[in-house]
Amino acid sequence: MSDHGCAHFGAFVKEYGLEPFSVVHAYFSVCINKEARRRKALSCLCFKCGGSGPQLYSCLHCIYFGCKGAHIGEHCKQTKHYIVLELSYGMIYCHQCKDFIYDAECQAIAEKHIKKEAKSLNKSLSWRPWSPSKLEIDLLLKNPKRRHVTAVTSIGLRGLLNLGSTCFMNCIVQALIHTPLLRDYFLSERHECTAKTAAKCLVCEVSRLFQEFYSGARGPLSLHRLLHLIWNHARHLAGYEQQDAHEFFIATLDVLHRHCKISMTEMAAAAAAAAEKSNKPHQPTPPPPHQDSNPTQCNCIIDQIFTGGLQSDVVCQACNGVSTTIDPFWDISLDLGEAQNQGYGGPPKSLIDCLERFTRAEHLGSSAKIKCSTCKSYQESTKQLSMRTLPIVASFHLKRFEHSSLIDKKISTFISFPAELDMTPFMSKKKSDQPNPSTSSTSSSSHSSKSKSSDRKQQHQQAQQSNDEATAAAAATDASGDFRYSLYAVINHVGTLDAGHYTAYVRHQKDIWVKCDDHIITTATLKQVLDSEGYLLFYHKKVLEYE
């Protein structure tokens, strides 16, 4: 089928033109103005049964409305009017082809109507699927060779050379390369560098790596430029000894975040300067997109993907008053050792165990009293943590390395983890169902890798009431959503604390896993992944909400 539909639609357009489509679509599909909405409400009903749907069609020959199935079908057979418009989504249907058809000119008309509807309702445009621009279409036509992605394709897979104890870096890069939204961002060349030389920009180097991974070449890559940039921007990682993969992961996110932040701030300043030069003195200077005092406001790609909000609730044991603090986090570090003085026993055996132990209320004891704002005195309290907001990528750090003044050791206990994870039990409960506590919100200047999460305690139901309804409504909104995740990367550490080696499992395509051991890439099964000694676990959100 071409860009101009089928032969039957071509005959219809030759006889009637595109005006019938334009009118019906404008008034009975998207409704471009108040009058169109009034007409649709009064007349857009099935001529056969008087119903309004759920799926209604309009004949483009005579503007006959009919329900999906027999009602519109009978009209088409009796009148030989075969071209109809489905009104919910504005799609053209041919009853002779028995299929929906696409016409480029009709699509262009529909896009104009959608913009008019949004303007009339004073709302933003809803999410629209990508469609190629004229320039992109020309490029595709000039390059007819297509790269077909099959189940056995190696596109996106490259081994990484070990430059001397750099397996910690190789496995983190593999995990980042296979992070879907990060891949989409860099392959669409969204990064606009403002550095005087791209050779000093870590984001430019990561962008180059994505291009290399998806170039179709198969030879292993050397990460010497990336390593050098990391050494320059994270001096504590400089040197030729083996480093901790988790520490490298957090440092890499931090450097990428800072580079993106600088670029965004400089672009905003440049835009303001350009506005001044273009004789627009009355335009206010736009604020920078990121405020140092609150890193959660940053809109760079790193924070969009990896940043979540951790809620900490401290409950006074005297009056049950609650003090709430919310901090940003990039990952969650989970203890694997024996629980001390908590009354709930031995070490965890699964990721869920870790999260449940992580989210239990903790009595702070008499040696750690807090000053209650209600009691106006120091009181014993309990502290509980929970997820206020979840990132697109939820990463978990299983704390296998213990360091103390007496001994450094590795915990090799097997911790099971699921392929599919539901984080709902670990979210902050809706405050709209409870009296609203007095709330204080704080944020740190850097993202802590040791942030924790928890459910709200039952004592919160007795918390003092507050008149701040807006805060309660916002909290209820934050607690809504789909919190299901799918595993896509696992970093493993094999060996001892002094003589160990990092490898990675990554999900290459749906149900296809590979093991990345420096320059060696081999296929793997999901069972091998789930049976491995996980150190860092990466989960991707299954359902993305568009703002």
Side-chain angles (χ1 to χ4, degrees):
M1 189 174 288
S2 69
D3 284 350
H4 298 288
C6 63
H8 312 108
F9 183 70
F12 170 85
V13 172
K14 189 173 182 180
E15 184 174 356
Y16 299 101
L18 294 174
E19 189 65 17
F21 168 83
S22 182
V23 172
V24 174
H25 187 273
Y27 278 82
F28 302 111
S29 182
V30 299
C31 299
I32 60 173
N33 53 38
K34 185 176 180 180
E35 173 62 19
R37 291 191 290 275
R38 188 187 69 82
R39 289 195 182 188
K40 182 174 182 178
L42 292 175
S43 59
C44 201
L45 300 170
C46 177
F47 285 11
K48 185 79 172 179
C49 67
S52 58
Q55 200 168 18
L56 204 64
Y57 288 77
S58 172
C59 174
L60 292 184
H61 297 257
C62 63
I63 313 186
Y64 174 98
F65 299 117
C67 293
K68 176 184 179 181
H71 294 176
I72 190 67
E74 289 173 5
H75 170 77
C76 292
K77 288 180 181 178
Q78 292 172 3
T79 60
K80 297 190 179 345
H81 294 171
Y82 296 116
I83 306 300
V84 299
L85 185 71
E86 190 278 331
L87 300 179
S88 296
Y89 299 97
M91 299 182 297
I92 304 169
Y93 186 86
C94 175
H95 266 273
Q96 282 186 293
C97 294
K98 298 188 183 303
D99 199 2
F100 289 100
I101 60 174
Y102 172 82
D103 180 82
E105 291 182 89
C106 289
Q107 183 63 31
I109 293 171
E111 291 293 335
K112 291 179 182 178
H113 290 168
I114 290 168
K115 290 178 181 177
K116 286 184 178 180
E117 178 202 36
K119 186 176 181 180
S120 173
L121 294 172
N122 194 28
K123 69 174 186 177
S124 60
L125 282 171
S126 59
W127 178 84
R128 308 294 298 166
W130 173 84
S131 58
S133 64
K134 185 178 186 303
L135 175 62
E136 290 166 331
I137 291 172
D138 290 341
L139 285 171
L140 290 170
L141 292 174
K142 290 177 181 177
N143 298 276
K145 185 179 179 181
R146 299 288 183 268
R147 180 175 289 130
H148 298 284
V149 178
T150 64
V152 294
T153 184
S154 63
I155 295 172
L157 293 177
R158 298 287 294 272
L160 298 172
L161 295 174
N162 193 317
L163 306 177
S165 299
T166 58
C167 54
F168 68 93
M169 173 176 64
N170 291 347
C171 63
I172 294 300
V173 168
Q174 293 287 4
L176 293 176
I177 289 290
H178 287 86
T179 299
L181 287 186
L182 204 60
R183 174 200 63 204
D184 295 347
Y185 176 84
F186 282 110
L187 289 184
S188 60
E189 299 182 340
R190 297 290 301 277
H191 171 59
E192 297 182 32
C193 187
T194 59
K196 292 182 180 179
T197 168
K200 294 183 179 180
C201 178
L202 182 69
V203 189
C204 289
E205 176 60 20
V206 172
S207 180
R208 188 190 70 81
L209 283 177
F210 272 93
Q211 301 293 335
E212 290 283 359
F213 264 81
Y214 286 89
S215 66
R218 298 189 178 189
L221 289 167
S222 171
L223 299 182
H224 59 279
R225 281 190 291 233
L226 178 69
L227 183 62
H228 182 257
L229 286 169
I230 291 291
W231 282 2
N232 285 337
H233 296 286
R235 298 297 177 119
H236 63 289
L237 293 176
Y240 293 98
E241 67 275 7
Q242 178 73 277
Q243 300 287 351
D244 179 63
H246 173 249
E247 192 174 1
F248 180 82
F249 169 63
I250 295 300
T252 301
L253 291 191
D254 183 55
V255 177
L256 287 171
H257 158 74
R258 283 189 277 125
H259 279 226
C260 288
K261 170 187 166 183
I262 291 170
S263 292
M264 292 167 68
T265 304
E266 290 181 351
M267 282 191 291
E276 272 189 39
K277 289 182 179 179
S278 60
N279 297 321
K280 296 179 181 178
H282 300 296
Q283 283 191 343
T285 301
H290 185 286
Q291 302 294 331
D292 288 336
S293 60
N294 189 354
T296 59
Q297 292 181 358
C298 182
N299 198 38
C300 74
I301 188 61
I302 298 302
D303 283 291
Q304 286 187 52
I305 295 175
F306 293 97
T307 297
L310 181 72
Q311 180 165 315
S312 173
D313 296 315
V314 177
V315 183
C316 174
Q317 295 300 283
C319 68
N320 287 328
V322 184
S323 176
T324 298
T325 302
I326 301 169
D327 290 299
F329 69 89
W330 274 337
D331 76 338
I332 300 296
S333 290
L334 300 168
D335 289 312
L336 303 184
E338 295 281 347
Q340 300 296 324
N341 302 320
Q342 299 295 318
Y344 41 84
K349 297 181 180 179
S350 68
L351 176 61
I352 300 301
D353 287 346
C354 291
L355 288 168
E356 286 178 348
R357 185 169 79 169
F358 192 80
T359 58
R360 288 183 181 128
E362 174 187 3
H363 190 271
L364 298 181
S366 58
S367 61
K369 291 184 178 180
I370 56 107
K371 188 171 183 179
C372 177
S373 59
T374 303
C375 299
K376 307 298 183 184
S377 61
Y378 285 91
Q379 302 289 347
E380 291 191 23
S381 60
T382 60
K383 181 180 180 181
Q384 190 169 21
L385 303 163
S386 60
M387 300 290 185
R388 178 63 171 265
T389 56
L390 281 171
I392 293 173
V393 168
S395 54
F396 301 100
H397 166 222
L398 303 182
K399 296 168 71 172
R400 294 194 175 275
F401 305 132
E402 280 193 352
H403 303 279
S404 68
S405 58
L406 298 176
I407 189 173
D408 294 339
K409 67 174 184 177
K410 177 187 174 184
I411 301 174
S412 296
T413 307
F414 176 71
I415 302 293
S416 65
F417 49 91
E420 307 293 329
L421 175 66
D422 188 352
M423 289 293 289
T424 303
F426 312 108
M427 297 300 297
S428 306
K429 291 182 181 177
K430 291 184 179 181
K431 290 184 179 179
S432 58
D433 298 333
Q434 305 169 357
N436 186 47
S438 58
T439 302
S440 64
S441 178
T442 65
S443 61
S444 59
S445 60
S446 64
H447 295 68
S448 170
S449 64
K450 297 181 180 179
S451 297
K452 303 178 181 179
S453 62
S454 73
D455 290 320
R456 186 183 297 274
K457 280 186 64 180
Q458 291 182 352
Q459 289 100 317
H460 291 196
Q461 296 176 354
Q462 302 169 357
Q464 292 181 330
Q465 281 198 342
S466 168
N467 293 325
D468 191 356
E469 295 179 0
T471 302
T477 302
D478 287 345
S480 64
D482 193 312
F483 309 118
R484 293 173 299 152
Y485 284 79
S486 180
L487 183 72
Y488 77 93
V490 177
I491 307 299
N492 294 289
H493 181 274
V494 295
T496 64
L497 191 64
D498 298 323
H501 179 62
Y502 287 103
T503 61
Y505 286 107
V506 293
R507 189 177 64 195
H508 178 47
Q509 293 185 49
K510 184 180 180 181
D511 301 326
I512 296 179
W513 287 82
V514 296
K515 181 179 181 180
C516 304
D517 186 351
D518 288 334
H519 66 284
I520 300 173
I521 307 291
T522 55
T523 57
T525 65
L526 180 58
K527 185 178 185 304
Q528 287 176 309
V529 177
L530 300 181
D531 287 345
S532 67
E533 187 183 294
Y535 178 52
L536 301 178
L537 311 175
F538 295 89
Y539 287 85
H540 200 284
K541 211 170 188 184
K542 298 189 74 170
V543 177
L544 301 182
E545 297 89 5
Y546 288 89
E547 294 182 354

